[in-house]
Amino acid sequence: MKKIINILTICVFCLVMVIPFIFTNRDKDAVSETDNRALADNPITVSLSGTRYADAVNNYYNDRIGFRADLIDFNGRIAYQVFHQSPVERVILGQDGWLFYSSEKASDGVSISQYMGTKRYSEEELQLIADNLIRTRDYLAERNCEFVLYIAPNKERVYSEYMPESYQNIRKSETCGTEQIIEYLRENTDIRVVWPYEDLVSYMDEHPDEPVYFHLDTHWNELGGYIGAKALLDELGIEIESADDISKSANKAINQGDLRNMMAVDDWLLMEETGWQIDGFPAKNTIIEEESFTGHWRYYNEDKDPRTLLVNRDSFTSAMRLELGSSFNNVDLCHRASYTPDLIAEDNPDIFVYETVERSVDGLKDLHLIPEE
């Protein structure tokens, strides 16, 4: 009897080991919904040898082995629901259902070191940033174009009270490298900088039940974007109503969010998020000429400010696009991925705005917005 049990145990073990390989995803050009990327190619179809071939085989089965998505989801459930931990390093579980981005773990800028107050810039780095911006400003000024630097605050800074207590307990300072840069530029240059952090925090203090960022996403929502857009328009001499006075309606809807998607979990981790419809935008007579997230958002309104606005942007401009697009004759909000210096001559802008989220301000040290000399 014991021998039979041992044989059955071995058979079950072998079956468990073999079944995932039987159900390996062998579809050509398969895409993982869990990771939102193409899966590794079959190494048989690739001309490789030695260790490169071994690595390709390993990547192929890691990506395509049967029940992979189910196992990832199961691991996520256990980590989140049992141990209250994130299954991936780049997502931090905050308090009251808030998720935060540890961008350092994804090689996508510096969010946590900015929040912790440990990110600092040397005098040489600050001068390099200033030189890059001055060079850009001067090039544009020769073409009668204004230049503005716009920095969108990290969610980790704006909603810092919802960061895990373990992070709050060891936080070094509430000031950070971003504020270092802003202070240096304001004291040593005439570069125009828009940093709407205080505007956001002030509104939150007065309206605690009206979120300006999403719980499960890195981005601000339409209300946060409105506050951010108003800060920029104020700098450019255009008045729109304050967020306290606008007519708006809350849109309650299930929003997966980019942070939630990074955790590669199934639909059990969803929540009702608050989006906003801001009345009056797009403004009357605004023509939407093009809308492409990774390309251009182009708007035209002959009744508005006669200047042409060009924005070199990341995803944070998305929630500002209707306010900006409704405020000028011509607006081109160009995603970083589609931008080339030739666009300056093509658009002939009166205003050039470089918009970046706070976690990416390191990129100011290596800024290439204008043609090479």
Side-chain angles (χ1 to χ4, degrees), residues 32 34-35 37 62-72:
S32 168
T34 300
D35 302 311
R37 62 175 176 84
N62 282 342
D63 267 9
R64 293 171 175 265
I65 196 164
F67 314 112
R68 175 179 180 270
D70 296 315
L71 291 171
I72 290 174

Side-chain angles (χ1 to χ4, degrees), residues 25 35 93 104 110 120 137 154 178 306 312 325 347 371:
N25 183 345
D35 302 311
L93 301 189
E104 288 88 342
V110 286
R120 287 290 183 268
R137 187 274 318 278
N154 289 336
T178 303
N312 180 302
D347 282 5

Side-chain angles (χ1 to χ4, degrees), residues 27-64:
D27 295 340
K28 185 179 180 181
D29 300 325
V31 175
S32 168
E33 294 183 3
T34 300
D35 302 311
N36 192 29
R37 62 175 176 84
L39 298 180
D41 292 327
N42 189 333
I44 295 176
T45 65
V46 183
S47 299
L48 298 173
S49 61
T51 56
R52 292 179 62 201
Y53 182 80
D55 289 341
V57 171
N58 185 56
N59 292 336
Y60 178 78
Y61 282 104
N62 282 342
D63 267 9
R64 293 171 175 265

